[in-house]
Amino acid sequence: MKKTSIILALVFVFVLSFSFGILAEEITAPEGDPNQYVVKEAIATGIDSDNLYIGTVGNWNAANEGSKTYFENGEALNANDIIISNNKVGIVLAVGTRNPWGYPAGSILDAGYIKDGTPARDTVWAIEFLSNRWDSWAPDNCGTVTFDLVKYDFNACKEGSGLDAVKVTRDYTIGGADFDVVTYYGAAPDVDYIYVYNQMTNNGEGSVELANSFAITNKGDDGGFMKDLDAINCTGSYGNKEGQEYSTFIALGDASQFDRYKGSLGYRELVADHEYAAGETVLMQNYVVINDNASTEAINEFMADINKVEKQTAVTGTVKDAEGKAVANPVVVIEKEGKIYGWYIGDQDGNFSFNLPQDGTYTAYVERDGYAKGATQEIATTADTATVNLVSGDAKVNVKFNLKDQNG
């Protein structure tokens, strides 16, 4: 080969290497940034395949001219924020963009689904793991936050094999005890959920009691509603605005770790109280389930799956009004032992279908805007199929009150 050909070939390889990020360097936080972080080369280089994208917002924007962030109306605008997405759903981690509550880098800033190959609208304001609920854990006492690309087996719960995952490492200090706080984020192909495994290790010499929380805040400007699913220990946000219908729920894989809900109108928490002995490590298998409709079908099916529900009853039916006319797009609410299990949305003709675990009796009723709650009906899940025909409540009417005091 001629000398000039060799030189041209080397130049060509160099250009290809540069364009695919092979020469990407480690990213560090700007001097003076309250959040000190390091994004390792493997993430700066990124992964871009048919069913997995892991990379920075800066890389995404460079390849998609005109976009400011991954999800429409997203909060993650800094080039160093990290995207994790399969071909169905995705999240963006707060790195250069501050967590809206002021917490350390590494939380979820954006989450949404992928529609026709394109990221849709952001569905959350924030999702974060809290070491001890809303205490003083902040950028100035968490150390340098490190983001690395590792192999993690989310079934065996160990590094070294499994999915490509983003590992986030930071510190937490309370009462003289130092904790390692590690989160593994992963997205398997063709699923509508994200793994968020949170691990706490007490490096102190004494025991410490903590209230670990997994929290979600909705998008107030999108009018999202929040609801606890008491029967399955989940909480989340759902809504339908500007053409995007969605539901985004967070869940604990191990129900025994759940102690209580906390929160208010705009955010909810799943709280797991635990007393950490010296040297003890606790792993919380958390999940974010994202779907493109406002029902809870995705989270209900997901929880049935991870709880290894072997048999389910296929429930079908129709909703009609008091006059026998079909009710378009009714909301069928399901309760179990007086607790909300979920809700499902029917079609234009009032037809609905969903699955329930074969583990007892459920109660169904109809909620409809402008109407009273429909009559309840029991669903016995002892058979493989069940038909339930529901009737919506009476239409609400305007009532005028004339009030007078004792003087008329």
Side-chain angles (χ1 to χ4, degrees):
M1 183 182 287
K2 294 183 179 179
K3 185 176 181 181
T4 52
S5 299
I6 296 173
I7 293 173
L8 286 173
L10 290 173
V11 170
F12 182 68
V13 169
F14 177 83
V15 171
L16 276 179
S17 299
F18 185 79
S19 65
F20 281 96
I22 293 174
L23 300 181
E25 296 180 352
E26 187 174 273
I27 299 171
T28 58
E31 186 177 352
D33 192 322
N35 270 302
Q36 285 300 299
Y37 56 83
V38 174
V39 179
K40 295 294 186 177
E41 291 180 19
I43 296 178
T45 299
I47 297 173
D48 188 359
S49 66
D50 291 339
N51 52 31
L52 181 64
Y53 184 90
I54 295 178
T56 65
V57 168
N59 286 343
W60 173 261
N61 290 347
N64 297 268
E65 293 182 8
S67 62
K68 294 181 179 180
T69 189
Y70 188 66
F71 290 105
E72 179 188 348
N73 197 38
E75 313 295 330
L77 299 172
N78 188 277
N80 297 337
D81 298 333
I82 296 172
I83 300 165
I84 306 168
S85 176
N86 61 15
N87 54 355
K88 296 189 71 172
V89 297
I91 58 173
V92 188
L93 305 183
V95 183
T97 301
R98 289 293 301 274
N99 172 283
W101 299 109
Y103 273 66
S107 63
I108 297 173
L109 202 55
D110 299 336
Y113 59 87
I114 312 301
K115 184 176 182 179
D116 300 325
T118 302
R121 196 169 175 84
D122 179 29
T123 65
V124 300
W125 197 48
I127 297 175
E128 53 264 302
F129 173 71
L130 307 175
S131 297
N132 194 29
R133 296 204 65 235
W134 298 100
D135 67 357
S136 61
W137 195 35
D140 61 356
N141 69 352
C142 76
T144 298
V145 182
T146 302
F147 298 83
D148 202 358
L149 187 64
V150 299
K151 291 285 187 182
Y152 190 84
D153 188 328
F154 287 93
N155 294 316
C157 302
K158 64 179 182 180
E159 283 189 43
S161 62
L163 297 176
D164 288 303
V166 174
K167 179 182 181 181
V168 184
T169 306
R170 52 257 203 240
D171 297 325
Y172 172 71
T173 303
I174 183 171
D178 177 68
F179 282 79
D180 290 333
V181 184
V182 179
T183 301
Y184 296 94
Y185 293 101
D190 299 312
V191 299
D192 54 9
Y193 60 88
I194 302 291
Y195 293 102
V196 187
Y197 279 22
N198 295 295
Q199 181 175 289
M200 296 275 293
T201 301
N202 180 6
N203 296 316
E205 297 180 355
S207 63
V208 180
E209 186 172 349
L210 299 178
N212 303 139
S213 287
F214 194 35
I216 179 171
T217 311
N218 71 358
K219 295 280 282 193
D221 59 339
D222 274 358
F225 299 92
M226 305 208 76
K227 191 69 175 178
D228 300 328
L229 301 183
D230 303 77
I232 55 175
N233 299 336
C234 300
T235 190
S237 177
Y238 63 98
N240 187 0
K241 188 177 180 182
E242 297 184 16
Q244 175 169 274
E245 186 178 359
Y246 69 89
S247 63
T248 301
F249 280 81
I250 58 174
L252 279 164
D254 183 356
S256 68
Q257 292 181 320
F258 175 76
D259 289 289
R260 64 195 188 279
Y261 296 104
K262 295 291 287 185
S264 61
L265 185 64
Y267 86 94
R268 303 297 295 163
E269 299 172 49
L270 300 173
V271 185
D273 295 320
H274 190 80
E275 184 170 349
Y276 287 83
E280 183 180 7
T281 295
V282 172
L283 176 69
M284 285 148 279
Q285 299 175 36
N286 304 145
Y287 304 88
V288 178
V289 181
I290 308 163
N291 202 256
D292 62 354
N293 64 64
S295 80
T296 65
E297 184 171 5
I299 183 67
N300 289 131
E301 288 290 341
F302 171 79
M303 292 304 290
D305 184 51
I306 67 167
N307 288 321
K308 296 180 173 56
V309 173
E310 294 183 1
K311 297 195 69 176
Q312 296 201 76
T313 299
V315 181
T316 59
T318 302
V319 175
K320 295 183 179 180
D321 61 19
E323 298 177 351
K325 296 180 181 177
V327 175
N329 306 120
V331 178
V332 179
V333 181
I334 305 297
E335 292 184 355
K336 182 182 181 184
E337 299 175 355
K339 297 180 178 180
I340 295 291
Y341 174 84
W343 61 86
Y344 304 85
I345 301 173
D347 64 17
Q348 280 293 110
D349 299 318
N351 301 312
F352 60 85
S353 63
F354 50 85
N355 297 318
L356 291 177
Q358 291 188 9
D359 61 355
T361 300
Y362 293 76
T363 301
Y365 58 87
V366 179
E367 283 192 351
R368 184 182 174 196
D369 191 29
Y371 290 77
K373 173 182 171 180
T376 61
Q377 184 172 334
E378 288 191 346
I379 306 174
T381 59
T382 53
D384 291 339
T385 61
T387 301
V388 181
N389 293 313
L390 300 172
V391 179
S392 69
D394 295 328
K396 295 179 181 179
V397 296
N398 290 323
V399 179
K400 183 178 180 180
F401 292 91
N402 295 307
L403 305 178
K404 296 181 180 180
D405 64 15
Q406 65 270 27
N407 298 318

